[in-house]
Amino acid sequence: MNISNDIKYIGVNDHEIDLFEGQYDVPNGMAYNSYAIIDEKIAIMDSVDINFRDEWLKNIKEALGDREPDYLIVQHMEPDHSANIVSFTENYPKAKVVASKQAFSMMKNFFSTDFDDKQIVVADGDTLSLGKHTLTFLTAPMVHWPEVIVTYDDVDRVLFSADGFGKFGALDVDEDWACEARRYYFGIVGKYGIQVQNLLKKVSAYDISSICPLHGPVLNENLGYYISLYDTWSSYKPEEEGVMIAYTSVYGNTKNAVLKLRDLLYDKGAKKVVINDLARVDMAEAVEDAFRYDKLVLATTTYNADIFPFMREFINHLTERNYKNRTVAFIENGSWAPNATKVMKGMLSQLKDITYMQTEVRILSALSEESSAQLSSLADELCGEITEEGGNSSMKYVCDICGWTYDVESGSPENGIAPGTTFEELPDDFVCPLCGVGKENFSSAE
């Protein structure tokens, strides 16, 4: 497959894989994309998963004929893209390896060598001439690893976007882009919305005609659509109006309440209601739906004085990914000491920009007249009645590099910072405990 006269696709399709990264169901497989830019000098863009080494090396040979590559550009060090760096250097010993400083450090960890005699270290804005093609490298830290770079080709106006704009699914399967790209984004990249926004601002300065990601198809038509979706996702804005109901149910009574609420919502004019049984649905699909729609109902049973395990896992996925700018409602069930709403609210308390519904539905074993009336009131609220703001904070500061959050109220006791210590009161030598950068790399969470 030719991307342009000078750029050829040399990636592979994987239909053997069942779980990507050991957790994401991929019934249509995965694509590991690699590209060859053929000019006076030749650059290979990334490698592929270790299981496809021979196929990838064969693809390089077929694309280049009698010529050999001059460079291997490593944009991302996850093994599905970097596993064959050593094999490449063994087959092409004269080629240089181009990557960020952090990437070479990771190579030392992965391969016990950082290819010191072959290194070309690039930083933000650095360029590499291949002849008529000039490549510009842009750093993209935490999209979604710290070493990531993306690459812009000024002749064919191609953005090689690393894992950005990627999706689940092999290239020889025809399926909707947005659905699997959304699930991929929120599952894998979603925690790092600020960093994706930073990258989108960087690349907006370039005239882009095609986007070549490391997973999924090459995007070369209607780029505004794809970029707009990425802007929506990374700014944590709802993509659509709708109510997503996530529930767990032991004996069916909580499920009955959920189905009743669905019917009430449609009766009251709701346009879209999506239901996910967390014990049975692909968890990544449920997370995708939570970010897709503007309203979320959490319905679960009190379980061991806590909440049902699948609901706890689901909420953990949301909090890990900085879920915000949504309306949330609660339905709890408990036969003698219902406690689920309190637990769920506690788990969500770390989030900001969450609007809570005033009505909280409490079921004592099975629906009654009282709890049914609460469901009706909740349906009214979800369809546009009075709401109550909650969960906001102007006392949080986010690391621009890795997304770690400093909360003034909580402080950082593990780093010797007492609760209530303002950001301005932090010592000058304070560093992010996750990635090690200083205070100047933090921004207000407002």
Side-chain angles (χ1 to χ4, degrees):
M1 176 172 67
N2 291 341
I3 312 303
S4 71
N5 288 334
D6 299 332
I7 302 176
K8 295 184 178 182
Y9 180 83
I10 53 173
V12 299
N13 287 314
D14 181 0
H15 286 289
E16 299 300 318
I17 188 171
D18 59 341
L19 294 177
F20 182 69
E21 292 192 349
Q23 61 177 317
Y24 299 104
D25 186 36
V26 283
N28 289 327
M30 284 298 295
Y32 310 121
N33 296 339
S34 177
Y35 309 89
I37 307 173
I38 303 172
D39 199 342
E40 293 174 19
K41 293 189 175 181
I42 296 172
I44 302 298
M45 304 298 298
D46 298 285
S47 77
V48 300
D49 184 86
I50 192 65
N51 294 313
F52 298 88
R53 178 193 62 190
D54 293 343
E55 182 178 350
W56 178 62
L57 292 173
K58 179 183 176 184
N59 289 347
I60 294 175
K61 184 67 176 176
E62 289 180 350
L64 304 189
D66 294 332
R67 298 185 64 186
E68 292 194 353
D70 299 277
Y71 306 105
L72 173 65
I73 296 173
V74 179
Q75 298 185 113
H76 183 23
M77 276 298 299
E78 272 196 287
D80 54 332
H81 308 301
S82 68
N84 292 297
I85 295 175
V86 172
S87 293
F88 177 89
T89 60
E90 290 172 347
N91 279 269
Y92 301 107
K94 295 180 181 180
K96 300 292 186 181
V97 180
V98 182
S100 67
K101 180 179 179 181
Q102 296 94 327
F104 282 113
S105 295
M106 290 183 179
M107 289 179 209
K108 185 79 169 179
N109 295 334
F110 275 116
F111 312 125
S112 299
T113 178
D114 59 4
F115 305 98
D116 183 58
D117 60 331
K118 301 177 184 296
Q119 279 191 18
I120 297 180
V121 179
V122 293
D124 198 44
D126 286 350
T127 61
L128 177 68
S129 175
L130 303 180
K132 68 178 181 179
H133 292 261
T134 298
L135 305 182
T136 300
F137 303 105
L138 303 173
T139 57
M142 300 317 299
V143 186
H144 55 117
W145 278 23
E147 86 297 354
V148 173
I149 57 174
V150 301
T151 307
Y152 178 74
D153 169 36
D154 67 340
V155 171
D156 289 317
R157 297 180 295 136
V158 173
L159 176 68
F160 297 93
S161 60
D163 269 351
F165 297 95
K167 67 176 284 294
F168 296 123
L171 297 190
D172 55 1
V173 176
D174 186 19
E175 62 182 0
D176 177 65
W177 183 88
C179 180
E180 288 296 71
R182 185 187 299 108
R183 186 166 70 99
Y184 177 92
Y185 175 85
F186 285 113
I188 294 173
V189 188
K191 178 181 176 66
Y192 303 107
I194 293 174
Q195 291 76 17
V196 174
Q197 283 283 301
N198 291 340
L199 179 58
L200 289 176
K201 290 173 185 175
K202 279 188 184 181
V203 302
S204 67
Y206 295 85
D207 181 16
I208 300 170
S209 63
S210 298
I211 298 175
C212 290
L214 289 177
H215 296 294
V218 173
L219 308 176
N220 50 28
E221 295 180 355
N222 197 17
L223 294 187
Y225 166 75
Y226 304 108
I227 293 171
S228 176
L229 279 179
Y230 249 66
D231 180 53
T232 296
W233 297 342
S234 59
S235 57
Y236 301 99
K237 298 173 185 174
E239 189 179 337
E240 298 180 37
E241 290 186 7
V243 181
M244 197 282 253
I245 306 175
Y247 80 95
T248 64
S249 187
V250 180
Y251 295 109
N253 290 305
T254 306
K255 179 180 179 179
N256 290 340
V258 166
L259 297 178
K260 183 177 181 66
L261 177 61
R262 177 199 60 190
D263 294 341
L264 287 167
L265 288 168
Y266 278 131
D267 288 344
K268 295 175 186 294
K271 296 179 180 179
K272 185 78 171 181
V273 181
V274 175
I275 296 176
N276 281 285
D277 177 352
L278 298 178
R280 293 174 173 83
V281 73
D282 173 10
M283 191 62 71
E285 292 276 4
V287 171
E288 172 195 349
D289 282 342
F291 280 95
R292 182 173 184 174
Y293 300 105
D294 63 338
K295 298 180 179 69
L296 173 66
V297 178
L298 301 173
T300 195
T301 51
T302 301
Y303 193 82
N304 289 334
D306 199 272
I307 56 176
F308 205 73
F310 290 108
M311 179 60 76
R312 175 166 283 279
E313 180 187 358
F314 176 66
I315 294 176
N316 281 337
H317 279 292
L318 299 185
T319 57
E320 286 172 5
R321 289 159 175 79
N322 301 322
Y323 187 73
K324 62 181 178 179
N325 298 324
R326 303 298 194 280
T327 296
V328 178
F330 302 97
I331 300 172
E332 68 175 0
N333 195 347
S335 293
W336 60 89
N339 192 48
T341 293
K342 179 181 177 181
V343 173
M344 290 188 287
K345 273 193 167 182
M347 293 181 69
L348 294 173
S349 64
Q350 64 185 279
L351 301 177
K352 69 186 190 103
D353 297 328
I354 299 294
T355 299
Y356 296 119
M357 295 282 94
Q358 289 181 346
T359 301
E360 296 175 357
V361 179
R362 169 171 285 191
I363 303 166
L364 298 175
S365 299
L367 279 173
S368 63
E369 288 187 10
E370 181 178 0
S371 53
S372 293
Q374 291 170 355
L375 280 175
S376 183
S377 295
L378 179 57
D380 285 336
E381 284 194 64
L382 288 167
C383 288
E385 297 299 321
I386 300 172
T387 60
E388 177 180 294
E389 293 290 336
N392 296 323
S393 172
S394 60
M395 301 175 68
K396 294 182 181 180
Y397 297 82
V398 178
C399 176
D400 296 333
I401 303 302
C402 71
W404 182 82
T405 299
Y406 175 72
D407 186 340
V408 171
E409 183 178 354
S410 303
S412 185
E414 67 275 20
N415 298 299
I417 308 299
T421 303
T422 67
F423 189 77
E424 292 73 20
E425 293 172 335
L426 291 175
D428 291 340
D429 60 355
F430 176 83
V431 297
C432 173
L434 189 59
C435 70
V437 299
K439 289 171 60 177
E440 68 277 7
N441 291 287
F442 280 71
S443 301
S444 172
E446 274 202 328

